[in-house]
């Protein structure tokens, strides 16, 4: 077989990180005897897959944000399809980002059905819009899932599904909490609260006001409370703007991705916008309160059409169908409610310790057999052999 050509597509930070891990695994398994092209961000570029177009502005969630960005997204989809068809890869791996990658997949399939299409991370049909399982089965050749409980939702539609495990649970190294506290002049008696405002600009806009109100209340109650803000590069400017606008954030210790593991290890607790980071915090055993707000119109549509079918929003809670991590969502997402939920844990060291143990146990189960990116790469390469 000639040197295989695999094209990776990621449109947001979480997918970019998955794509970077997958690229490294593909190179390792083939001894670098694979051609990798792609569309992604800085993580994939660091892994040797420079993006052939910008993914800025594609990190979108919700109907209203989607409508506002419709023209931009449509143009980006057309450009992505054009680039893929010109590259003529053997396989395209479409990573997360349901709306964008689905449209790219359809565009490629309409012109060149010989290109194998692999979806890496499926839409969360267990939580909302189960009809998407059939749509995906009609569009791609295989699904690589990071969730052990995904398969039964897709196989009835004839879609081959491979559970590879969750690379997110393997990515975060063990941090050095003592070194972090020493480096940033934190007293051993200080209570360290890690605050994560979101991974999308729209999330940061919606979550900052209630988070800021909660933090002001908490700071008034607890003089020994120190705030730490880990910030990912794609939203660094958005977080900087939030810090500049709100005095309570001005004294926070802001750290980059290189210090995130140490910050988590130093944390007594976290307040986080719901997302992948909540699973990362769980892996590190950080007791967490999580929260989320959709735009009001999006929320009203979801409620009216009963589109949200799960009782929980956090993966660790969904996995055990239990509210291990407190979730403060939508109408309940107020500064007062957030402050009270965080303060209840801060004031109860025994409850924090018990939550930490439970979170580590749940993520151990979610991790699967380990080496998730390697398993994903093996599945992609196996598909190439079937094509040959």
């Amino acid at each position: 077989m000639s040197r295989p050509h695999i094209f990776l597509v990621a449109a947001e930070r979480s997918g970019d990180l998955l794509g970077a891990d997958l690229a490294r695994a593909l190179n390792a398994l083939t001894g670098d005897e694979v051609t990798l092209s792609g569309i992604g961000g800085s993580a994939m570029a660091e892994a040797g897959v420079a993006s052939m177009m910008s993914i800025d502005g594609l990190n979108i969630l919700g109907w209203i944000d989607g409508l506002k960005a419709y023209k931009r997204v449509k143009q980006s989809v057309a450009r992505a399809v054009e680039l893929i068809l010109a590259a003529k890869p053997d396989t395209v791996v479409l990573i997360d980002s349901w709306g964008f990658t689905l449209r790219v997949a359809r565009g490629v399939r309409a012109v060149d059905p010989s290109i194998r299409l692999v979806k890496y991370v499926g839409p969360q049909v267990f939580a909302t819009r189960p009809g998407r399982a059939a749509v995906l089965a009609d569009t791609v050749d295989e699904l690589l899932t990071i969730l052990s409980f995904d398969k039964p939702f897709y196989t009835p539609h004839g879609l081959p599904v491979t559970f590879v495990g969750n690379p997110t649970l393997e990515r975060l190294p063990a941090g050095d909490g003592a070194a972090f506290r020493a480096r940033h002049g934190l007293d051993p008696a200080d209570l360290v609260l890690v605050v994560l405002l979101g991974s999308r600009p729209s999330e940061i806009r919606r979550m900052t006001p209630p988070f800021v109100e909660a933090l002001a209340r908490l700071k008034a109650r607890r003089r020994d409370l120190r705030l730490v803000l880990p910030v990912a590069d794609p939203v660094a400017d958005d977080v900087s703007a939030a810090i500049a606008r709100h005095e309570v954030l001005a004294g926070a210790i802001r750290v980059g991705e290189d210090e995130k593991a140490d910050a988590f290890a130093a944390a007594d607790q976290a307040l986080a916008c719901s997302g992948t980071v909540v699973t990362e915090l769980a892996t590190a055993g950080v007791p967490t309160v999580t929260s989320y707000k959709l735009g009001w119109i999006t929320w009203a549509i979801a409620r009216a059409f009963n589109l949200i079918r799960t009782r929980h929003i956090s993966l660790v809670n969904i996995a055990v169908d239990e509210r291990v991590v407190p979730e403060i969502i939508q109408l309940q997402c107020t500064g007062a409610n957030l402050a009270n939920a965080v303060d209840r844990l801060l004031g109860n060291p025994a409850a924090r310790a018990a939550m930490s143990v439970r979170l580590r146990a749940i993520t151990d189960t979610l991790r699967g057999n380990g080496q998730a990116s390697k398993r994903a790469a093996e599945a992609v390469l196996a598909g190439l052999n079937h094509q040959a």
Side-chain angles (χ1 to χ4, degrees):
M1 182 179 175
S2 61
R3 183 183 176 100
H5 184 181
I6 300 168
F7 199 107
L8 310 179
V9 179
E12 58 185 0
R13 179 64 175 174
S14 59
D16 183 34
L17 293 169
L18 289 172
D21 290 341
L22 179 59
R24 294 187 186 97
L26 286 166
N27 279 322
L29 285 173
T30 63
D32 292 325
E33 290 299 317
V34 61
T35 298
L36 297 177
S37 303
I39 295 166
S42 59
M44 281 173 53
E46 289 171 9
V49 186
S51 184
M52 300 175 72
M53 60 175 270
S54 173
I55 63 171
D56 290 347
L58 297 180
N59 197 352
I60 298 162
L61 184 68
W63 290 280
I64 302 307
D65 288 342
L67 287 172
K68 290 178 180 177
Y70 177 75
K71 183 177 180 180
R72 181 174 69 249
V73 171
K74 186 177 179 181
Q75 291 172 340
S76 296
V77 167
R79 179 59 177 155
V81 171
E82 179 184 3
L83 290 169
I84 292 167
L85 293 173
K88 297 181 180 178
D90 301 293
T91 294
V92 178
V93 182
L94 303 137
I95 308 169
D96 212 348
S97 301
W98 165 252
F100 180 77
T101 57
L102 176 69
R103 287 165 176 78
V104 172
R106 284 174 166 169
V108 171
R109 177 120 304 170
V111 178
D112 190 349
S114 71
I115 297 176
R116 183 172 179 80
L117 301 177
V118 176
K119 187 74 174 74
Y120 187 15
V121 185
Q124 295 184 345
V125 293
F126 57 85
T128 181
R129 303 181 74 175
R132 287 178 170 181
V135 172
L136 188 63
D138 287 339
T139 309
V140 303
D141 299 292
E142 183 178 1
L143 169 64
L144 308 182
T145 177
I146 65 173
L147 302 176
S148 59
F149 48 83
D150 253 350
K151 193 169 184 176
F153 293 93
Y154 293 96
T155 50
H157 303 285
L159 180 63
V161 178
T162 301
F163 168 57
V164 299
N166 194 333
T168 300
L169 304 180
E170 304 169 20
R171 188 181 299 133
L172 194 71
D176 189 334
F180 182 90
R181 283 178 176 256
R183 192 160 60 243
H184 292 283
L186 293 167
D187 190 277
D190 285 339
L191 281 173
V192 175
L193 180 68
V194 172
V195 181
L196 298 121
L197 298 172
S199 61
R200 297 177 172 91
S202 60
E203 290 173 344
I204 293 169
R205 286 194 301 272
R206 283 195 293 267
M207 301 310 297
T208 296
F211 272 37
V212 163
E213 182 185 344
L215 295 173
R217 289 170 178 264
L218 289 165
K219 291 284 283 183
R221 298 175 193 176
R222 297 184 176 273
R223 296 186 180 277
D224 56 350
L225 187 65
R226 298 295 302 274
L227 307 180
V228 175
L229 268 70
V231 182
D233 289 342
V235 291
D237 290 344
D238 301 277
V239 175
S240 294
I243 291 173
R245 287 194 302 270
H246 301 286
E247 185 178 351
V248 71
L249 297 178
I253 298 168
R254 175 176 165 171
V255 299
E257 291 281 345
D258 58 330
E259 283 196 276
K260 185 167 75 172
D262 288 348
F264 286 6
D268 293 288
Q269 198 171 314
L271 172 62
C273 174
S274 180
T276 301
V277 74
V278 176
T279 308
E280 291 180 330
L281 289 161
T283 306
V286 182
T288 300
V289 171
T290 189
S291 182
Y292 205 79
K293 287 180 72 173
L294 290 168
W296 289 113
I297 297 176
T298 298
W299 174 254
I301 293 171
R303 293 278 290 179
F305 292 95
N306 195 29
L307 297 178
I308 300 173
R309 297 169 180 264
T310 181
R311 296 195 302 154
H312 314 288
I313 61 172
S314 303
L315 180 57
V316 289
N317 291 344
I318 292 169
V320 295
D321 194 20
E322 183 182 338
R323 193 62 60 88
V324 179
V325 172
E327 298 177 348
I328 315 295
I329 61 173
Q330 209 60 28
L331 295 175
Q332 298 302 312
C333 180
T334 65
N337 287 341
L338 290 170
N340 291 337
V342 171
D343 205 31
R344 275 194 294 271
L345 270 177
L346 283 175
N348 192 337
R352 293 205 311 270
M355 184 188 289
S356 180
V357 171
R358 187 77 194 283
L359 291 174
R360 290 181 188 275
I362 294 170
T363 52
D364 280 345
T365 301
L366 288 171
R367 188 174 287 109
N369 295 326
Q371 296 186 301
S373 294
K374 180 183 177 183
R375 289 158 65 87
E378 289 171 343
V380 172
L381 294 171
L384 290 173
N385 292 332
H386 292 150
Q387 283 177 282

